[in-house]
Amino acid sequence: MHELQWTPITLATGLHVLDLIGVVAFAMSGALLGVRKRFDLFGVLVLGCVTAVGGGAIRDTLTGQTPPLFLRDETYLWAALAGAALAFAFGERLARFERTLSVFDTAGLALFAASGAISAINFGLGPLGVVFAGMLSGVGGGIIRDLIANEVPEVMYRRDQLYATAAAAGALTVWLLHAHVTPFQAQFAGAGMVVALRWLSRRGWVNLPVRRLPEP
């Protein structure tokens, strides 16, 4: 059997595909929230798009890639529009909005945290910079989505479900592996770490401590 050879072309294609999957996932997450909030078609498309490209815009800004990638390559905007349109068209047929939102949100979080970490590594940042950039890349779109939809950003209050912490752990995984495997493999492993931590935390097996102050 021949060992799979990772050429620059296949690596770039793999990373691009993962990025686009993250865009579609976040777009559907934002659009489904808009459907649940009874936004009209335009509002749903806008919410889906800003959710999809918000994290990437933060990532690109932090790593000095301006203008952001979604403005230089409109494939990302088309992918975001397609994901949002699909969610608008079929959202009413999804019986469990909360579960569906969580699935798409977790996929977007994982892929953007990992891609943000890869971009930070390529920019030459250290481990803390990579973790910070990857985390913000992952949670940025979700924060924008929740604020526009008049929701408390999930990252601020869902202590029973790891969110920003999961994104940071995924980015750290990418940094730890990037010197030993290909960028595609490191990004895939980082995304897998985010999904695993989200899954474990949703079942109550992993959570963060909470400090409770006495009532005045």
Side-chain angles (χ1 to χ4, degrees):
M1 295 181 64
H2 296 286
E3 185 178 353
L4 179 62
Q5 298 294 319
W6 293 90
T7 67
I9 294 177
T10 58
L11 283 174
T13 301
L15 295 174
H16 184 64
V17 169
L18 287 181
D19 235 10
L20 288 177
I21 292 173
V23 166
V24 173
F26 259 149
M28 296 190 76
S29 168
L32 283 172
L33 180 59
V35 171
R36 193 182 68 179
K37 291 281 188 175
R38 302 192 64 82
F39 287 13
D40 62 17
L41 173 60
F42 181 76
V44 168
L45 293 178
V46 168
L47 188 61
C49 285
V50 298
T51 304
V53 302
I58 294 174
R59 173 194 65 201
D60 293 342
T61 301
L62 288 174
T63 55
Q65 302 177 62
T66 54
L69 181 59
F70 77 91
L71 293 177
R72 289 179 277 122
D73 183 355
E74 289 192 358
T75 304
Y76 291 89
L77 284 175
W78 285 112
L81 285 170
L86 284 173
F88 182 84
F90 300 105
E92 293 182 358
R93 299 181 184 179
L94 301 174
R96 302 180 65 179
F97 275 107
E98 293 294 340
R99 184 174 181 179
T100 305
L101 277 170
S102 179
V103 169
F104 287 123
D105 191 45
T106 295
L109 176 72
L111 293 167
F112 269 89
S115 68
I118 288 291
S119 294
I121 290 170
N122 292 337
F123 192 66
L125 299 184
L128 288 179
V130 169
V131 171
F132 189 70
M135 180 187 67
L136 284 182
S137 178
V139 304
I143 291 176
I144 295 171
R145 174 201 63 206
D146 293 340
L147 290 176
I148 293 177
N150 199 30
E151 296 271 326
V152 177
E154 188 177 51
V155 67
M156 301 297 293
Y157 74 100
R158 296 296 289 273
R159 71 175 188 278
D160 57 326
Q161 296 180 23
L162 299 183
Y163 196 78
T165 306
L172 179 61
T173 300
V174 174
W175 184 82
L176 290 172
L177 294 178
H178 81 278
H180 309 288
V181 298
T182 67
F184 179 82
Q185 291 170 324
Q187 185 170 339
F188 193 82
M193 174 63 73
V194 176
V195 172
L197 286 176
R198 288 280 288 156
W199 184 82
L200 291 171
S201 66
R202 284 181 65 84
R203 279 152 182 76
W205 296 342
V206 178
N207 53 46
L208 294 176
V210 177
R211 179 77 179 196
R212 299 187 183 277
L213 296 178
E215 293 295 333

